[in-house]
Amino acid sequence: MRKRPRVAVAAPGCGSGGSVGWVAAWHARELGREFETALFSDSPPSGRGPYDFVPVDTPQFRPLRRLSHVPREVAFAAGVGRALLRHYAPGEPMAVVCHGHVLTAVAGRALNRRLGVAVLMVTHGDVFERPRGTYDATLTALYKYASAVAYQDADAVIALSTAMAELAVRGGARPGRVFVVPNGVEPEALGPAWDEPRPRPAATTRLQLLFVGRLAVEKGVEDLIEAVCILEEEGHGVQLQIVGDGPEAAALRKGIRDRFRHLVTFLGARPKHELAQIYRASDVVCVPSRSDSFPGVVLEALACGVPVIGSRVGGIPDVVTEGTNGLLVPPGRPRQLASAIARVAGDKNLLASMEGAARGSVWPRFAWEETGRQLRSVVAGVAGLGPEAGVVGGC
């Protein structure tokens, strides 16, 4: 029996709850269905799959406080390179899937030269389209340097959306080596209520809005809160719940004017398995991102049967179809966001129609089983790990 080809996945923070590590763990699981897969990270994911976990010891540089990001990212990338060189022998038919520009720039070139492996980069964002204030000056400089090197050096770039694919080509990636593989969704992980009938609110109830995500500049939560205040002044009854935490949490709470505080409730971070119930208690999920490669919250909300009002950025338009399962607005425009919410609040037939189309628009199209099949096809094609290499059947 021939051995299955060996594939490595590398990403920081697979056990931290962040989106990059979470996607990387799913990629390892899906690749493990056909390849002998190992996941390299500085923290293990909460769930396990058909892959080996290889820990990467990374200094935390805590005395540097907010200046620790740059040395920590570089140290992790270097640690991944060393771990891969210990784990694999030159000449093995394998691919390394690196999540992020810095990891690809620091480790990818050396791995390609020393091991002769195909290096694929998964791009989760692009520094050149992030809003001001997303990163500090030193981290921005590192990302700008790493992006140029990674796009040129990677044997292939896996983009989470068509917008990210276009940014990759603009950044120097070869057009014929850029592949769009979106994230998937596992609605069962959100809790047992994900496919239950939604409770019907009373006619006098305020329109229930929901935001789920990291409270950071690029997520545009400030714009959503401003839109809620505009709607209140115009006489539209809405209520907003915010699920999540992040660097902007305190500023967002403090910035709400006293007469509008009763309209916004901060629920803090919530475990994944509670989200279905929270989604399904809302009428509309708002995703007002100023920059977003492919927010998983869009897939989660729609899978739970809840329409989405989102910004026309990143991967959101790949999933949200205007007037069918949600509405699209320009990023950073609170008044236009308020107008879209008011449109839904004033048209119950539109809301009901979008609710009816929500789940079918993403499920099973974006099931991890389906997106995983796309991922395995890209990796096999780029690395030459096709059926003739023993991928199918394994013997």
Side-chain angles (χ1 to χ4, degrees), residues 175-219:
R177 308 299 279 177
V178 178
F179 303 89
V180 177
V181 180
N183 288 340
V185 63
E186 186 189 33
E188 294 89 348
L190 305 175
W194 77 276
D195 60 349
E196 294 176 0
R198 291 187 60 236
R200 304 312 309 167
T204 56
T205 301
R206 287 173 174 265
L207 189 74
Q208 299 298 307
L209 307 177
L210 177 66
F211 171 87
V212 178
R214 187 167 182 261
L215 305 187
V217 167
E218 67 272 17
K219 296 299 184 180

Side-chain angles (χ1 to χ4, degrees), residues 88-89 91-96 108 111-119 155 383:
Y88 296 110
E92 285 187 315
M94 59 166 286
V96 178
L111 290 168
N112 189 284
R113 191 178 299 136
R114 296 275 297 275
L115 294 177
V117 302
V119 176
D155 293 295

Side-chain angles (χ1 to χ4, degrees), residues 57 340 381:
D57 188 25

Side-chain angles (χ1 to χ4, degrees), residues 203-262:
T204 56
T205 301
R206 287 173 174 265
L207 189 74
Q208 299 298 307
L209 307 177
L210 177 66
F211 171 87
V212 178
R214 187 167 182 261
L215 305 187
V217 167
E218 67 272 17
K219 296 299 184 180
V221 187
E222 181 181 356
D223 300 327
L224 177 56
I225 292 174
E226 181 61 26
V228 168
C229 297
I230 291 170
L231 289 164
E232 180 70 8
E233 290 179 329
E234 294 179 349
H236 298 284
V238 299
Q239 194 81 33
L240 171 63
Q241 289 192 320
I242 296 176
V243 174
D245 204 351
E248 295 295 307
L252 290 169
R253 287 187 174 91
K254 186 177 180 181
I256 303 174
R257 286 165 282 177
D258 288 342
R259 64 195 181 99
F260 297 123
R261 289 188 184 278
H262 67 288

Side-chain angles (χ1 to χ4, degrees), residues 13-54:
C14 286
S16 68
S19 61
V20 174
W22 179 76
V23 173
W26 269 103
H27 281 186
R29 192 180 91 163
E30 292 303 319
L31 290 170
R33 295 180 185 275
E34 289 191 6
F35 308 120
E36 184 180 326
T37 302
L39 174 62
F40 293 73
S41 184
D42 50 2
S43 59
S46 56
R48 297 306 301 271
Y51 57 83
D52 295 325
F53 176 75
V54 181

Side-chain angles (χ1 to χ4, degrees), residues 124-141:
H124 291 261
D126 190 292
V127 65
F128 297 103
E129 55 88 43
R130 291 290 192 182
R132 186 181 296 274
T134 302
Y135 310 117
D136 63 31
T138 54
L139 199 55
T140 298

